[in-house]
Amino acid sequence: MIDDLLEPLIAFRRDIHAHPELGFCEHRTAGRIAEQLRALGLEVHEGIGGTGVVGVLKNGTSTRSIGLRADMDALPIHEQTNLPYASKTHGSFHGCGHDGHVAMLLGAAQHLARSRNFDGTVNFFFQPAEEGLGGAREMVKEGLFERFPCERVFGLHNWPDLPAGTIATRPGPIMAAADRFEISLEGRGGHAAIPQDTPDAILAAASLVTQLNSIVARRIAPTASAVLSITQIHGGHTHNVIPAEVSVSGTVRTFDAAVRDVIEDALRKIAAGVAMAHDVTAHVDYQRCYPATINDAQAAQEALEAARTVGNAQIAPEPAFTSEDFAFMLQACQGAYIWLGQAKAEGSVPLHNPHYDFNDDVLGLGIRLHVALAERHLAKG
Ligand SMILES: [Zn+2]
Ligand SMILES: [Zn+2]
């Protein structure tokens, strides 16, 4: 029943791949999606959270409802696949497979619009700007779940670490919260030969790096998990000058809001303490980007049950330390984030790599999973 949809959908996926658009600029992509949803007879809403598109499909009399989400944006990477349908836009590339996500959700809309084997409302959410810009947050802020109420919301992401045919999810945390920080240490600057007159921002930065690395080891319980990585130090320009300013930057990943609070608090205290000890001043810019993606236990169970009807379903043993702005939808609505395996027998290319491409062999499985989630939650009778 779904197989006849695949050939045109693969062509559609490759067209989106050839015309990638960065976050909040998905005008062509959103336009093509809206056009297709309208042709299916769905109620279509555009411009939600920037370039977001929502398609609403109702059947029967039930007030039950479900939301299914796909992200639409590309990454600022120069594609190096040499595929016939490679990106025509220099420096923009579907390196996270969101082209595949769009095609799978559109396929589910096509199938459900004609089969109508459900009773209730299916909301198809095509969101902008997943890659760092928080398109899901913007849609939620604009009242997504008030305008299109959902008892459950599910998001599917292709997963190169799992073999094609495998579907995995887990109750509780599945993706990490991602924060970034920059600490500027400011002294006065002066002659390197007269250290007694010049506070040393370089030495303060060295101490800061060591102290910050003690936070996870000494302040967080061994049974919890977190990452603090320092990824940049900038300061100094020549051999005989003590610089006036040095900056230290990095990222923090956590799964638990309390652990996140402890880390930010400790980081601020250490920056202040180190600055005081070295007679410099510290300015801390700590930005909480995406929260942790936390699956509702019941919704994760439902997702696994739906997955079992279409593929090889498994409980993911541990969460990933990467992050995902579907987290904002899960803060507003019970639901689950699901990994769709896409590795070929010969291996796989990781997400965000310039040689990556979505595996069209799993497109049908992704459609079947979306359909199973909708038909299961909105079962007739
Ligand atoms: Zn990505
Ligand atoms: Zn992605």
Side-chain angles (χ1 to χ4, degrees), residues 96 98 130-131 352:
C96 204
H98 299 181
E130 191 288 319
E131 299 289 357
H352 294 207

Side-chain angles (χ1 to χ4, degrees), residues 18 20-21 31 72 80 145 225 264 270 355 362:
E21 294 172 300
M72 303 187 290
Q80 291 173 32
F145 292 108
S225 54
E264 182 180 347
I270 286 171
H355 298 281
V362 303

Side-chain angles (χ1 to χ4, degrees), residues 244-263:
E245 186 180 338
V246 179
S247 72
V248 174
S249 314
T251 185
V252 173
R253 304 294 167 115
T254 54
F255 297 105
D256 181 317
V259 169
R260 195 183 201 188
D261 289 344
V262 168
I263 291 178

Side-chain angles (χ1 to χ4, degrees), residues 71 73 96-98 101 130-131 157-158 323-324 337 351-352:
D71 36 16
D73 57 323
C96 204
H98 299 181
H101 300 170
E130 191 288 319
E131 299 289 357
H157 204 296
N158 78 92
S323 68
E324 168 55 73
Y337 183 72
L351 299 171
H352 294 207

Side-chain angles (χ1 to χ4, degrees), residues 27-76:
H27 300 288
R28 180 184 184 276
T29 308
R32 291 217 61 194
I33 292 166
E35 173 188 75
Q36 301 247 2
L37 294 176
R38 262 190 213 103
L40 295 170
L42 269 66
E43 181 188 309
V44 177
H45 303 260
E46 292 175 83
I48 298 177
T51 41
V53 180
V54 175
V56 182
L57 178 65
K58 292 180 198 280
N59 197 54
T61 53
S62 170
T63 55
R64 304 211 72 187
S65 58
I66 189 172
L68 301 170
R69 168 274 202 170
D71 36 16
M72 303 187 290
D73 57 323
L75 284 159

